[in-house]
Amino acid sequence: MKIKRIEAYQVDLPYAGGVYRLSGGRTYESFDATFVRIVTDTGLDGWGESTPFGSTYIAAHARGVRAGLEELAPAVLGMDPRQLDRINDAMDMALMGHHHAKTPIDVACWDVFGKAAGMPVCDLLGGRIPGKVAMISSIGSDTPEAMRANVARHREMGFMGHSVKIGAEEAEGGPMIDAERIQACLADRRPGEWFLADANNGMTPEHALRLLSLLPEGLDFVLEAPCPTWRETLSLRQRCRVPILLDELVQSEEDIIHAIDRDACDGVGLKISKQGGLTRTRRQREIARAAGLVASVQDTTGSDIAFAAILHMAQSTPRHMLRQALDTRSMVSVTTAAFDAPLQDGGAEAPDAPGLGVTPDMDVMGDPVAVWEA
Ligand SMILES: [Mg+2]
């Protein structure tokens, strides 16, 4: 089987909640998504998506995905899409880094592989672990009471995990308001619920230490991505008793090995396009597993196709290490594909259909913005 044609599509995905706010005053209202369709000489095709979380989240941006595809697509034309490590080797030879550009090709190849084998992608990634995967809520920064109410709304919908966004600037209330936000969100905590306080790399160690000193003992939560650099993170780590999960700092196998070597964290946030596709996310998951780290499986937003990749990865991740997955569909107001994995009681299960199990809506996709042919 050979890749004979690669098509790229572009779709704007408005944020479903109006304005999404992250630490440091960053705001997002719409996400620029790139989709890749791979067509083989057998007639089978596969789809992948890469939607960076704006240009200020990590070193990834939407036009960079499409510029990267210009370098990558010619390198994989003619290759067997089922040979995923070889596909990734060829992409690495054509372009260093740029995980967000490699992701839609990698994911589309997994989709083809699954269709060719007659198996869902989760089975190819190690095997389905039956049952629904629990999804995490995303509680944007707001007043403590508004955030408490938002947690309650998600609790009513069945969510057992909540990602609470913190990292207020001093003028906004700084560590004091962050401490109030965490306490408000945990105030009605039920047994089995899991809370992240996610600063998205937006705090100094000084901010984090002041915040932690303001909290009473015994609050059960994990601090996610407190600081923007390894130095700051390691400094905080030595002086803090709260478990730490790293996200933006961990983007590759090397980063996970570095985190383990320095004992920098207790868990990692695996985002499919941040880690470089399903092939690399699986490698990083296995390294994390061997080190006894927990993991969440997410992406840097995205629509139905990004969620399909997330769900197949999460569905094959051992439950003892899996700390929730993200339903990116709930973040955007556009549906790009039919994907039979409804959200029920805060969870979803990957379908049994071969491949990812997605059927893209070609009216939404429109005409390709680029085509490469062997
Ligand atoms: Mg995060």
Side-chain angles (χ1 to χ4, degrees):
M1 183 186 296
K2 286 185 166 64
I3 299 173
K4 82 165 191 197
R5 183 178 162 93
I6 300 175
E7 301 165 355
Y9 297 83
Q10 190 277 328
V11 178
D12 287 320
L13 307 173
Y15 172 55
V19 181
Y20 194 85
R21 295 177 197 284
L22 287 186
S23 60
R26 291 171 290 176
T27 60
Y28 308 96
E29 292 178 39
S30 185
F31 308 106
D32 179 343
T34 303
F35 300 86
V36 162
R37 178 184 179 223
I38 278 182
V39 184
T40 68
D41 59 353
T42 65
L44 283 180
D45 69 348
W47 286 82
E49 173 177 355
S50 179
T51 306
F53 207 157
S55 303
T56 53
Y57 177 68
I58 55 170
H61 67 117
R63 284 177 293 175
V65 175
R66 296 188 286 276
L69 289 172
E70 298 277 349
E71 306 286 329
L72 298 165
V76 300
L77 280 173
M79 292 187 71
D80 187 331
R82 299 167 299 183
Q83 297 184 340
L84 266 304
D85 285 285
R86 301 294 79 75
I87 292 279
N88 277 274
D89 290 346
M91 290 199 288
D92 289 346
M93 286 293 288
L95 178 67
M96 192 177 286
H98 296 82
H99 281 170
H100 55 307
K102 291 169 181 171
T103 291
I105 291 179
D106 176 81
V107 173
C109 287
W110 279 98
D111 190 22
V112 172
F113 187 13
K115 289 176 184 174
M119 295 164 74
V121 168
C122 61
D123 279 347
L124 302 178
L125 290 170
R128 173 186 302 274
I129 295 163
K132 280 193 291 233
V133 171
M135 298 297 148
I136 194 159
S137 71
S138 184
I139 309 297
S141 294
D142 205 331
T143 63
E145 280 314 304
M147 292 173 75
R148 181 178 182 174
N150 197 0
V151 170
R153 267 197 302 280
H154 282 86
R155 180 178 289 124
E156 285 300 305
M157 290 189 274
F159 283 81
M160 295 290 284
H162 306 280
S163 177
V164 174
K165 301 298 179 187
I166 58 165
E169 293 173 277
E170 289 293 334
E172 207 191 322
M176 181 76 84
I177 187 106
D178 281 338
E180 289 170 8
R181 286 165 168 167
I182 293 171
Q183 289 179 89
C185 288
L186 269 76
D188 314 308
R189 185 178 180 277
R190 306 263 174 88
E193 287 185 345
W194 186 67
F195 283 86
L196 281 170
D198 188 357
N200 294 102
N201 283 14
M203 300 191 293
T204 58
E206 185 254 17
H207 181 132
L209 289 167
R210 285 167 62 204
L211 153 64
L212 294 171
S213 75
L214 289 167
L215 291 173
E217 284 286 307
L219 285 182
D220 180 9
F221 72 99
V222 174
L223 189 60
E224 176 167 336
C227 304
T229 66
W230 288 102
R231 202 235 44 103
E232 291 163 290
T233 303
L234 291 164
S235 173
L236 174 65
R237 173 77 162 164
Q238 288 166 16
R239 296 184 280 161
C240 138
R241 289 162 59 191
V242 176
I244 289 179
L245 188 144
L246 293 183
D247 184 349
E248 289 88 334
L249 277 176
V250 172
Q251 302 184 18
S252 66
E253 294 88 310
E254 184 189 8
D255 293 339
I256 294 223
I257 290 166
H258 183 63
I260 294 165
D261 181 45
R262 302 301 299 270
D263 193 25
C265 62
D266 306 290
V268 287
L270 300 174
K271 291 188 161 83
I272 308 296
S273 67
K274 172 169 69 81
Q275 320 310 134
L278 288 170
T279 305
R280 278 204 165 81
T281 302
R282 181 180 61 168
R283 276 183 214 154
Q284 292 166 39
R285 176 184 77 182
E286 299 311 320
I287 297 168
R289 180 187 186 182
L293 300 180
V294 299
S296 66
V297 181
Q298 311 193 355
D299 210 337
T300 54
T301 74
S303 61
D304 306 78
I305 298 175
F307 178 62
I310 290 170
L311 189 55
H312 282 280
M313 177 60 63
Q315 196 76 55
S316 62
T317 299
R319 291 293 193 271
H320 74 272
M321 78 177 288
L322 179 65
R323 289 286 180 276
Q324 322 275 337
L326 178 69
D327 188 347
T328 52
R329 299 175 299 187
S330 66
M331 298 182 73
V332 300
S333 59
V334 172
T335 298
T336 59
F339 180 53
D340 186 21
L343 181 67
Q344 289 169 334
D345 298 328
E349 180 159 5
D352 280 319
L356 291 175
V358 295
T359 308
D361 182 334
M362 295 315 294
D363 289 335
V364 173
M365 292 292 170
D367 293 326
V369 292
V371 175
W372 298 267
E373 260 175 317

